[in-house]
Amino acid sequence: MLRHALGRSSSALFDAGAGCRAVAPAWHLVRPVVCIGERALNASAAGLQAFSERMHTTARSFADDSNRAEESAGDSTQQASSQEHQQPQHEDAGSRPEESASEQPPPTIESLQAIIEEHRATAQQHAASSAEMKDQVLRTLADMENLRERSARQIESNKQFAVQGFAKSLLDVADNLERAAGAVPAEAVAQDTQLSVHEVVKHLRTLLEGVQLTDKQLKAALKSNGVSKYDALGEKFDPNLHSALFEIPDTTKPPGTIGVVTKNGYKLNDRVLRAAEVGVIRGPAE
């Protein structure tokens, strides 16, 4: 019966521990007690019941101790496992750069040659682009130089031939003046002329017609080139348009007005080309 109880206690201890190492010391403690029980069984049957009760109590205490030892061992195992899980993470985090650096294989000759060829191709492209840009710059500079020379020639030509149109328009005026001068023969103006008065008047009328025609053509030529005459008689004196030569005492006209024009004024478009030379009316003396 005692063996049976001890066997049950032992199997309970082993089942509760589930192979845990913490139960092994408890069994070493139980073994001497079993030997003592056997000797007590042979020595006295009367103390068997009491001894059995003590064994049950001892087995319970050992079972409780083993359960507590198992729980504490489980907690220790969990803590150790958690620490082991945390520690590799830190180690992995700290060693990742080294591992990543160590995982990179060293460059080979083929890879270096490929990189060199790539850079060589890029350099050739840059050289071709630079040559093209240089050619464009040179062409642009040549075009600018040609433009500068053409502009200089054009400016010089404009200086030399700026009055070409105006001079051409005056050629007809010169022709008419020459005709007018040739319309009167030399014997008509000679002191000992033998021409009659009728013939002299005829020549003078021809001369007058030629001069009037020439004056008309001259005014047309001036107008076509932007030159116009402005009338100053009776106008208020303006120093920008008129040049006062003298004063005229006249009480019939308002003072400060122009009473006499000796030379007409001309404008080139809106600019005064020549101011009119005038005489200004002077008011009565105070």
Side-chain angles (χ1 to χ4, degrees):
M1 183 177 179
L2 179 58
R3 290 180 178 275
H4 181 66
L6 292 175
R8 289 174 60 187
S9 299
S10 301
S11 56
L13 290 173
F14 281 105
D15 292 338
C20 184
R21 295 179 181 179
V23 181
W27 171 246
H28 288 294
L29 294 174
V30 173
R31 181 178 295 175
V33 178
V34 173
C35 295
I36 294 171
E38 288 180 351
R39 287 195 297 270
L41 181 60
N42 295 328
S44 176
L48 182 58
Q49 187 65 31
F51 182 76
S52 177
E53 292 177 359
R54 288 196 300 271
M55 289 297 102
H56 282 292
T57 303
T58 304
R60 289 194 195 95
S61 64
F62 277 118
D64 294 336
D65 294 338
S66 64
N67 290 331
R68 286 195 295 270
E70 183 180 0
E71 290 176 359
S72 62
D75 295 337
S76 300
T77 304
Q78 292 179 358
Q79 292 178 358
S81 62
S82 64
Q83 291 178 358
E84 289 177 358
H85 284 296
Q86 293 177 357
Q87 184 175 1
Q89 292 179 357
H90 294 294
E91 293 178 355
D92 293 340
S95 60
R96 280 177 185 174
E98 298 178 357
E99 291 178 356
S100 61
S102 62
E103 287 177 357
Q104 295 180 357
T108 60
I109 297 177
E110 290 78 5
S111 62
L112 293 177
Q113 290 180 350
I115 294 173
I116 292 172
E117 292 297 331
E118 181 179 357
H119 285 288
R120 183 177 299 169
T122 305
Q124 291 177 355
Q125 292 178 358
H126 290 170
S129 178
S130 300
E132 183 179 0
M133 293 178 65
K134 182 179 179 180
D135 182 69
Q136 292 179 358
V137 170
L138 292 177
R139 290 178 182 273
T140 303
L141 290 176
D143 292 340
M144 294 298 294
E145 183 65 21
N146 294 334
L147 178 61
R148 188 188 65 81
E149 293 178 357
R150 286 197 302 270
S151 299
R153 289 195 299 269
Q154 187 68 30
I155 292 172
E156 187 66 23
S157 176
N158 291 336
K159 288 181 180 179
Q160 294 179 359
F161 305 103
V163 296
Q164 180 178 355
F166 181 70
K168 186 177 180 180
S169 64
L170 294 178
L171 295 179
D172 294 335
V173 177
D175 294 339
N176 290 329
L177 287 175
E178 187 176 358
R179 293 191 191 98
V184 180
E187 60 272 12
V189 295
Q191 293 182 357
D192 55 349
T193 180
Q194 301 297 325
L195 296 177
S196 64
V197 176
H198 177 71
E199 291 178 348
V200 172
V201 172
K202 182 181 178 181
H203 290 305
L204 289 176
R205 186 179 296 112
T206 304
L207 177 62
L208 177 61
E209 291 175 355
V211 171
Q212 290 177 347
L213 180 62
T214 303
D215 180 66
K216 183 178 179 180
Q217 288 183 344
L218 178 60
K219 290 179 180 179
L222 293 175
K223 185 177 180 180
S224 64
N225 288 276
V227 180
S228 60
K229 181 176 69 172
Y230 60 90
D231 190 9
L233 186 62
E235 298 291 332
K236 186 73 174 176
F237 177 76
D238 186 354
N240 296 319
L241 300 176
H242 311 128
S243 175
L245 300 181
F246 53 87
E247 289 183 341
I248 303 174
D250 191 350
T251 58
T252 62
K253 296 179 181 179
T257 59
I258 297 173
V260 177
V261 178
T262 59
K263 283 185 179 181
N264 291 320
Y266 287 89
K267 288 183 179 180
L268 177 60
N269 296 322
D270 294 332
R271 181 182 295 179
V272 176
L273 186 63
R274 186 185 73 180
E277 296 181 358
V278 299
V280 183
I281 302 297
R282 183 178 63 186
E286 296 179 358

